[in-house]
Amino acid sequence: MNLIPRLRRLWPDTLFARMALLIAVLFLLGQLAIYAFLRIYEFQPHTQRLAHQWSQLLTLAAAQPTADNPALRRNLARLGLQLSTDAGAPLAGHAPHSGPLPHVLRAMRTLLGPSVQMTVDPAHHLLWLRWTGAHTVTLALPAKQGTPIPVPYVQLIALIAVALLGGLLVVRQVNRPLKSLVDAVSGFGDNHQTRPLRIQGPRDIRELAARFNHLLDDLEELLRERELVLIGVSHDLRTPLTRTRLAVEFLPAAAVDSRAEIIAKIQEMDAIIEQFLNYAREGQEEPTVLTDLTALVHTTVEHFREGPAGLPVTLDVPHTLSAPVQPLALSRALRNLLENAARHGAAPIEVRLHSTNDHIALSVRDHGNGIPPQRLRDLPKPFAQSTSGGAGLGLAIVERIARRLHGRLTLANAADGGLQATLELPIKKDR
C-alpha cells in the first residue's frame, strides 16, 4: 500500500531528469536484452563446438594406444593434455552440474555413445574425459577449456556509457528550448516584461518560439491599452470632480451640512480614482537601492497618522535595518495596508518589521472582526470590495508589488481577533 507513494517521491520532478532516467533505463534494458540474445545464440554453438573437438580428441587417442606411440604422448603434453589408457584409473573430481559442461557431455554421448564420462577436478584445475572405444582412454584437459566465454563487462559498460551520453545530449536538445520558454513565461508573469525568444532549433521548436513571441507582443499591447484607458478615464474624471468641489465651496451657508457631505463624497471618489491611477501606473521604472527600512516605516506611519483616517499605530521595528529594495513601491504597499486596516479594521494597528538571512517581512495587523476564512484568498484580487466600500484595489496593489518584487502577500485572521497582512520580500544578494 505504501510502495506507490514512495516510488512517486523517488520519481524526478523535472522534464530533463525524467527523460534522462527513461532513456537510461531503456538503453540499459536494451543492452541487457541484446546480451541475453547473444548468450542464447552463442551458447548452443559453443557447446556443440566443444563436444566435436573433444570427441575428435578421444577418437584419435583411442585409435592407437599411447604406449605404442611415445611421440603422441609428448605432443599432447606440450598442449597441456594428459592421456592415459589405464581403464582402472579413477576419475578425480565430480560430475559437472552447471554451465555448458552438462550440455557438452550430452552432446558427446550423442556422438560417441553412453560410455563417455566427464568430471571436474577444481583442486588441480583439470577436466577429465573418459571413453571406451577400441580401448579405454582417459584424457585430462586444462579446466579453462571448459569455462564459458567471459562476459565483456568493460566493453558493455563503455557501450552503455556512450549510449547514455548520446541520450543526455538528445534530452538537452529538447529541454534547452523548453527551459527558455519556461524562463520567458516566468519573467513575463513576474513583471510583464521579457525578451523575445530566439528563433532557433528544430522546425517545431522554431514555430513554438515564433508563436510565443507573437503572443507576447499581443499581451504587451493589450496591457498598454488597458493602462492607457485606465489612466485616461481616471484623469478625465478628476477634472469634473475638481470643478464640482469648487462649485460646492460656493454654496450658501444654509446648505453647509449638504456641502460637507458632498465634499466628503468627492474626496472618497478622488481617493478611489487615486487607487486606479496607482494600480495602472505600478510599473518597473524604480530601481532597487539600499534603503533604511526602519526610517521608511517610521516616515510612512507618521504620514498615515497625520491623515484624516489616522488611527493609533504601534511599531515593532529594529533599531536599524537596511536592505536593497524599491523604496517607493514598499512605502506605497505599507500605506495601502495601513489604509486597509483603518477602513476595515479597528484600533490599535500594529506594524512589525523583521528580517531573516534572505527575506524581510512587513506585517500590519488591526483589531477588528477579521475576514471570513473563505474570502481571504479572493481579497487581494482587483475590485474585491468589502462591505465598507472602496474600489477594492488597495490590497490588489500590494499583491502586484509583491509579485513584481518576487515576494508574496499573505492574509490571515489573528487568533485573538483582527486581520494580519504580511508582505514578504526576498533580499537580493550582491554577487
Side-chain angles (χ1 to χ4, degrees), residues 42-56 104 107 111 149:
E42 186 271 340
F43 185 82
Q44 186 68 20
H46 179 65
T47 57
Q48 291 294 330
R49 185 169 57 253
L50 288 179
H52 281 84
Q53 289 177 355
W54 293 347
S55 297
Q56 291 171 359
V104 175
L111 295 172
I149 299 175

Side-chain angles (χ1 to χ4, degrees), residues 296-421:
L296 183 146
V297 170
H298 277 287
T299 301
T300 305
V301 170
E302 286 301 321
H303 290 167
F304 170 76
R305 287 171 175 166
E306 296 172 356
L311 293 177
V313 178
T314 60
L315 290 176
D316 179 11
V317 297
H319 179 68
T320 177
L321 175 62
S322 298
V325 296
Q326 294 180 347
L328 293 180
L330 186 59
S331 177
R332 184 180 299 116
L334 176 57
R335 185 170 64 251
N336 285 356
L337 291 178
L338 289 171
E339 292 174 353
N340 184 78
R343 177 184 293 272
H344 307 293
I349 298 174
E350 299 175 358
V351 176
R352 184 170 183 263
L353 174 68
H354 66 279
S355 67
T356 62
N357 291 333
D358 54 358
H359 280 78
I360 60 172
L362 179 63
S363 62
V364 176
R365 181 203 167 179
D366 62 70
H367 287 75
N369 297 325
I371 299 295
Q374 64 272 18
R375 295 194 61 237
L376 286 176
R377 179 176 296 182
D378 297 332
L379 204 58
K381 295 180 180 179
F383 311 110
Q385 294 182 348
S386 69
T387 56
S388 301
L393 289 175
L395 292 179
I397 294 174
V398 180
E399 171 74 13
R400 194 175 183 187
I401 292 174
R403 283 191 290 106
R404 180 164 58 82
L405 301 180
H406 307 285
R408 63 174 182 172
L409 171 67
T410 57
L411 302 176
N413 289 314
D416 53 347
L419 179 69
Q420 177 168 309

Side-chain angles (χ1 to χ4, degrees), residues 12 28 45 74 127 200 250 276 295 306 311 370 384 423:
L28 181 60
R74 289 193 300 269
L127 177 67
Q200 61 180 5
F250 292 100
F276 274 99
E306 296 172 356
L311 293 177
L423 177 63

Side-chain angles (χ1 to χ4, degrees), residues 143-422:
K144 63 181 180 179
Q145 291 193 16
T147 57
I149 299 175
V151 179
Y153 290 107
V154 176
Q155 294 88 336
L156 185 62
I157 292 175
L159 185 60
I160 293 176
V162 171
L164 290 180
L165 179 60
L168 290 177
L169 292 177
V170 171
V171 174
R172 187 171 181 270
Q173 289 295 318
V174 177
N175 186 76
R176 185 167 55 180
L178 291 179
K179 187 177 184 302
S180 300
L181 178 61
V182 171
D183 293 341
V185 172
S186 300
F188 185 81
D190 289 336
N191 52 27
H192 294 172
Q193 287 187 354
T194 186
R195 295 181 179 178
L197 292 177
R198 295 179 61 185
I199 310 297
Q200 61 180 5
R203 184 180 64 181
D204 47 358
I205 298 297
R206 295 197 306 269
E207 292 179 355
L208 177 61
R211 295 193 178 191
F212 179 78
N213 290 337
H214 183 67
L215 177 62
L216 283 182
D217 294 337
D218 291 343
L219 287 176
E220 290 179 356
E221 181 65 24
L222 179 62
L223 290 174
R224 283 194 295 267
E225 291 179 358
R226 185 199 68 171
E227 292 180 359
L228 287 175
V229 170
L230 197 56
I231 292 174
V233 171
S234 301
H235 182 270
D236 291 342
L237 284 176
R238 278 194 157 177
T239 301
L241 282 178
T242 303
R243 293 175 180 173
T244 303
R245 182 168 180 176
L246 290 175
V248 169
E249 294 290 345
F250 292 100
L251 288 175
V256 64
D257 295 336
S258 300
R259 181 174 59 185
E261 182 179 356
I262 294 174
I263 291 177
K265 293 296 183 181
I266 292 175
Q267 290 175 342
E268 182 179 355
M269 294 171 66
D270 191 65
I272 292 174
I273 293 174
E274 179 69 23
Q275 284 191 333
F276 274 99
L277 290 173
N278 289 336
Y279 185 77
R281 290 171 176 168
E282 186 57 46
Q284 295 78 36
E285 298 82 4
E286 185 183 4
T288 299
V289 296
L290 185 62
T291 305
D292 185 348
L293 299 181
T294 302
L296 183 146
V297 170
H298 277 287
T299 301
T300 305
V301 170
E302 286 301 321
H303 290 167
F304 170 76
R305 287 171 175 166
E306 296 172 356
L311 293 177
V313 178
T314 60
L315 290 176
D316 179 11
V317 297
H319 179 68
T320 177
L321 175 62
S322 298
V325 296
Q326 294 180 347
L328 293 180
L330 186 59
S331 177
R332 184 180 299 116
L334 176 57
R335 185 170 64 251
N336 285 356
L337 291 178
L338 289 171
E339 292 174 353
N340 184 78
R343 177 184 293 272
H344 307 293
I349 298 174
E350 299 175 358
V351 176
R352 184 170 183 263
L353 174 68
H354 66 279
S355 67
T356 62
N357 291 333
D358 54 358
H359 280 78
I360 60 172
L362 179 63
S363 62
V364 176
R365 181 203 167 179
D366 62 70
H367 287 75
N369 297 325
I371 299 295
Q374 64 272 18
R375 295 194 61 237
L376 286 176
R377 179 176 296 182
D378 297 332
L379 204 58
K381 295 180 180 179
F383 311 110
Q385 294 182 348
S386 69
T387 56
S388 301
L393 289 175
L395 292 179
I397 294 174
V398 180
E399 171 74 13
R400 194 175 183 187
I401 292 174
R403 283 191 290 106
R404 180 164 58 82
L405 301 180
H406 307 285
R408 63 174 182 172
L409 171 67
T410 57
L411 302 176
N413 289 314
D416 53 347
L419 179 69
Q420 177 168 309
T422 303

